[in-house]
Coordinates of all heavy atoms in Angstrom, one line a residue:
L1 N 0.8 -1.2 0.0 CA 0.0 0.0 0.0 C 0.9 1.3 0.0 O 0.6 2.2 -0.7 CB -0.9 0.0 1.2 CG -1.8 1.2 1.4 CD1 -2.8 1.3 0.2 CD2 -2.6 1.1 2.7
V2 N 1.9 1.3 0.8 CA 2.8 2.4 0.8 C 3.4 2.7 -0.6 O 3.5 3.8 -1.0 CB 3.9 2.2 1.9 CG1 5.0 3.3 1.7 CG2 3.4 2.3 3.3
A3 N 3.8 1.6 -1.2 CA 4.4 1.8 -2.6 C 3.4 2.3 -3.6 O 3.7 3.2 -4.4 CB 4.9 0.4 -3.1
I4 N 2.2 1.9 -3.5 CA 1.1 2.4 -4.3 C 0.8 3.8 -4.1 O 0.8 4.7 -5.0 CB -0.2 1.5 -4.1 CG1 0.0 0.1 -4.6 CG2 -1.4 2.2 -4.9 CD1 0.2 -0.1 -6.1
L5 N 0.7 4.2 -2.8 CA 0.4 5.6 -2.5 C 1.5 6.5 -2.8 O 1.3 7.6 -3.3 CB 0.0 5.7 -1.0 CG -1.2 5.0 -0.5 CD1 -1.4 5.1 1.0 CD2 -2.5 5.5 -1.2
V6 N 2.7 6.1 -2.5 CA 3.9 7.0 -2.8 C 4.0 7.2 -4.3 O 4.3 8.3 -4.8 CB 5.2 6.4 -2.3 CG1 6.4 7.1 -2.9 CG2 5.2 6.4 -0.8
S7 N 3.7 6.2 -5.2 CA 3.7 6.4 -6.6 C 2.7 7.3 -7.1 O 2.8 7.9 -8.2 CB 3.5 5.0 -7.3 OG 2.2 4.6 -7.2
R8 N 1.7 7.6 -6.2 CA 0.6 8.5 -6.6 C 0.7 9.8 -5.8 O -0.3 10.6 -5.8 CB -0.8 7.9 -6.3 CG -1.1 6.8 -7.4 CD -2.0 5.7 -6.9 NE -2.4 4.8 -7.9 CZ -1.6 3.8 -8.4 NH1 -0.3 3.7 -7.9 NH2 -2.0 3.0 -9.3
G9 N 1.9 10.1 -5.2 CA 2.1 11.3 -4.6 C 1.6 11.5 -3.2 O 1.6 12.6 -2.6
V10 N 1.2 10.4 -2.5 CA 0.7 10.4 -1.2 C 1.9 10.0 -0.3 O 2.4 8.9 -0.4 CB -0.5 9.5 -1.0 CG1 -1.0 9.5 0.5 CG2 -1.6 9.8 -1.9
P11 N 2.3 10.8 0.7 CA 3.4 10.5 1.5 C 3.2 9.3 2.4 O 2.1 9.0 2.9 CB 3.6 11.7 2.4 CG 2.3 12.4 2.4 CD 1.7 12.1 1.0
A12 N 4.2 8.5 2.7 CA 4.1 7.3 3.5 C 3.7 7.6 4.9 O 3.1 6.7 5.6 CB 5.5 6.6 3.5
V13 N 3.9 8.8 5.4 CA 3.6 9.2 6.7 C 2.1 9.1 7.0 O 1.7 8.8 8.1 CB 4.1 10.6 7.1 CG1 3.3 11.7 6.3 CG2 4.0 10.9 8.6
T14 N 1.3 9.2 6.0 CA -0.2 9.0 6.2 C -0.5 7.6 6.7 O -1.4 7.4 7.5 CB -1.0 9.4 4.9 OG1 -0.6 8.5 3.9 CG2 -0.7 10.8 4.5
V15 N 0.2 6.6 6.1 CA 0.0 5.3 6.6 C 0.6 5.1 8.0 O 0.0 4.4 8.8 CB 0.6 4.3 5.6 CG1 0.5 2.8 6.1 CG2 0.0 4.4 4.2
A16 N 1.8 5.6 8.2 CA 2.4 5.5 9.5 C 1.5 6.0 10.6 O 1.4 5.4 11.7 CB 3.8 6.2 9.5
T17 N 0.9 7.2 10.4 CA 0.1 7.8 11.4 C -1.2 7.0 11.7 O -1.6 6.9 12.8 CB -0.2 9.3 11.1 OG1 -0.9 9.3 9.8 CG2 1.0 10.1 11.1
T18 N -1.7 6.4 10.6 CA -2.9 5.6 10.8 C -2.6 4.3 11.6 O -3.4 3.9 12.4 CB -3.5 5.2 9.4 OG1 -3.9 6.4 8.7 CG2 -4.7 4.3 9.6
L19 N -1.4 3.7 11.3 CA -1.0 2.5 12.1 C -0.8 2.9 13.5 O -1.2 2.1 14.4 CB 0.2 1.9 11.5 CG 0.2 1.4 10.1 CD1 1.6 0.9 9.6 CD2 -0.8 0.3 10.0
E20 N -0.3 4.1 13.8 CA -0.1 4.5 15.1 C -1.4 4.7 15.8 O -1.6 4.3 17.0 CB 0.7 5.8 15.1 CG 1.0 6.3 16.5 CD 1.7 7.7 16.5 OE1 2.1 8.1 15.4 OE2 1.8 8.3 17.6
H21 N -2.4 5.3 15.1 CA -3.7 5.5 15.7 C -4.4 4.2 16.0 O -4.9 4.0 17.1 CB -4.5 6.3 14.8 CG -6.0 6.4 15.1 ND1 -6.5 7.1 16.2 CD2 -7.1 5.7 14.6 CE1 -7.8 6.9 16.3 NE2 -8.2 6.1 15.4
L22 N -4.3 3.2 15.1 CA -5.0 1.9 15.3 C -4.3 1.2 16.5 O -5.0 0.5 17.2 CB -4.9 1.1 14.0 CG -5.8 1.6 12.9 CD1 -5.5 0.7 11.6 CD2 -7.2 1.5 13.2
G23 N -3.0 1.4 16.6 CA -2.3 0.8 17.7 C -2.8 1.3 19.1 O -2.9 0.5 20.0
R24 N -3.1 2.6 19.1 CA -3.6 3.1 20.4 C -5.0 2.6 20.6 O -5.3 2.2 21.8 CB -3.6 4.7 20.3 CG -2.2 5.3 20.3 CD -2.3 6.8 20.7 NE -3.2 7.5 19.8 CZ -2.9 8.1 18.6 NH1 -1.6 8.0 18.2 NH2 -3.7 8.7 17.9
V25 N -5.8 2.6 19.6 CA -7.2 2.2 19.8 C -7.3 0.7 20.1 O -8.2 0.3 20.9 CB -8.0 2.5 18.5 CG1 -9.4 1.9 18.6 CG2 -8.1 4.0 18.2
L26 N -6.4 -0.1 19.6 CA -6.4 -1.5 19.8 C -5.4 -2.0 20.8 O -4.9 -3.1 20.7 CB -6.2 -2.3 18.5 CG -7.3 -2.0 17.4 CD1 -6.9 -2.6 16.0 CD2 -8.6 -2.6 17.8
H27 N -5.1 -1.1 21.8 CA -4.1 -1.5 22.8 C -4.4 -2.7 23.6 O -3.6 -3.4 24.1 CB -3.9 -0.3 23.8 CG -5.1 0.0 24.6 ND1 -5.4 -0.5 25.8 CD2 -6.2 0.9 24.3 CE1 -6.6 -0.1 26.2 NE2 -7.1 0.8 25.4
D28 N -5.8 -3.1 23.7 CA -6.1 -4.3 24.4 C -6.3 -5.5 23.5 O -6.9 -6.5 23.9 CB -7.5 -4.0 25.2 CG -8.6 -3.5 24.2 OD1 -8.3 -3.1 23.1 OD2 -9.8 -3.5 24.7
F29 N -5.7 -5.4 22.3 CA -5.7 -6.5 21.4 C -4.2 -6.9 21.2 O -3.5 -6.4 20.3 CB -6.3 -6.1 20.0 CG -7.8 -6.0 19.9 CD1 -8.4 -5.1 20.8 CD2 -8.5 -6.8 19.0 CE1 -9.8 -5.0 20.7 CE2 -9.9 -6.6 19.0 CZ -10.5 -5.8 19.8
P30 N -3.7 -7.8 22.0 CA -2.2 -8.1 22.0 C -1.7 -8.5 20.6 O -0.6 -7.9 20.2 CB -2.1 -9.2 23.0 CG -3.3 -9.1 23.9 CD -4.4 -8.6 23.0
R31 N -2.4 -9.4 20.0 CA -1.8 -9.8 18.7 C -1.9 -8.7 17.6 O -0.9 -8.4 16.9 CB -2.6 -11.1 18.1 CG -2.2 -12.3 18.9 CD -2.6 -13.6 18.1 NE -4.0 -13.7 18.0 CZ -4.7 -14.0 16.9 NH1 -4.0 -14.2 15.8 NH2 -6.0 -14.1 16.9
A32 N -3.0 -8.0 17.6 CA -3.2 -6.9 16.6 C -2.2 -5.8 16.9 O -1.6 -5.3 16.0 CB -4.6 -6.3 16.7
A33 N -1.9 -5.5 18.2 CA -0.9 -4.5 18.5 C 0.5 -4.9 18.0 O 1.2 -4.0 17.5 CB -0.9 -4.3 20.0
R34 N 0.8 -6.2 18.2 CA 2.1 -6.6 17.7 C 2.2 -6.5 16.1 O 3.2 -6.1 15.6 CB 2.4 -8.1 18.1 CG 2.6 -8.3 19.6 CD 3.3 -9.6 19.8 NE 2.5 -10.7 19.3 CZ 1.6 -11.4 19.9 NH1 1.2 -11.0 21.1 NH2 1.0 -12.4 19.4
Y35 N 1.1 -6.8 15.5 CA 1.1 -6.8 14.0 C 1.3 -5.3 13.5 O 2.0 -5.0 12.6 CB -0.1 -7.4 13.4 CG -0.4 -8.8 13.7 CD1 -1.5 -9.5 13.3 CD2 0.6 -9.6 14.5 CE1 -1.7 -10.8 13.5 CE2 0.4 -10.9 14.7 CZ -0.8 -11.5 14.3 OH -1.0 -12.9 14.5
L36 N 0.6 -4.4 14.2 CA 0.6 -3.0 13.8 C 2.0 -2.5 14.1 O 2.6 -1.7 13.2 CB -0.4 -2.2 14.6 CG -1.8 -2.4 14.2 CD1 -2.8 -2.0 15.3 CD2 -2.2 -1.7 12.9
E37 N 2.7 -2.9 15.1 CA 4.0 -2.4 15.4 C 5.0 -3.0 14.4 O 5.9 -2.3 13.9 CB 4.4 -2.8 16.8 CG 5.8 -2.3 17.3 CD 5.9 -0.8 17.2 OE1 4.8 -0.1 17.5 OE2 7.0 -0.3 16.9
A38 N 4.8 -4.2 14.0 CA 5.7 -4.8 13.0 C 5.5 -4.1 11.7 O 6.5 -3.9 10.9 CB 5.3 -6.3 12.8
A39 N 4.3 -3.7 11.3 CA 4.1 -2.9 10.1 C 4.7 -1.6 10.1 O 5.3 -1.1 9.2 CB 2.6 -2.8 9.8

């Protein structure tokens, strides 16, 4: 997704901030939190 968005002029930071947000919202989901951090 990052490669697709960057090729269309959308900065990677938009994905990074969304992953950070989801990590906060899903803090009580241990596996999901690990996957988000890995991404």
Side-chain angles (χ1 to χ4, degrees):
L1 179 62
V2 168
I4 293 293
L5 293 177
V6 169
S7 74
R8 286 152 175 77
V10 180
V13 68
T14 59
V15 177
T17 55
T18 297
L19 296 177
E20 181 184 350
H21 169 76
L22 290 174
R24 289 197 306 271
V25 174
L26 297 172
H27 63 89
D28 54 346
F29 286 58
R31 285 198 293 133
R34 289 199 305 272
Y35 298 179
L36 288 161
E37 185 59 34

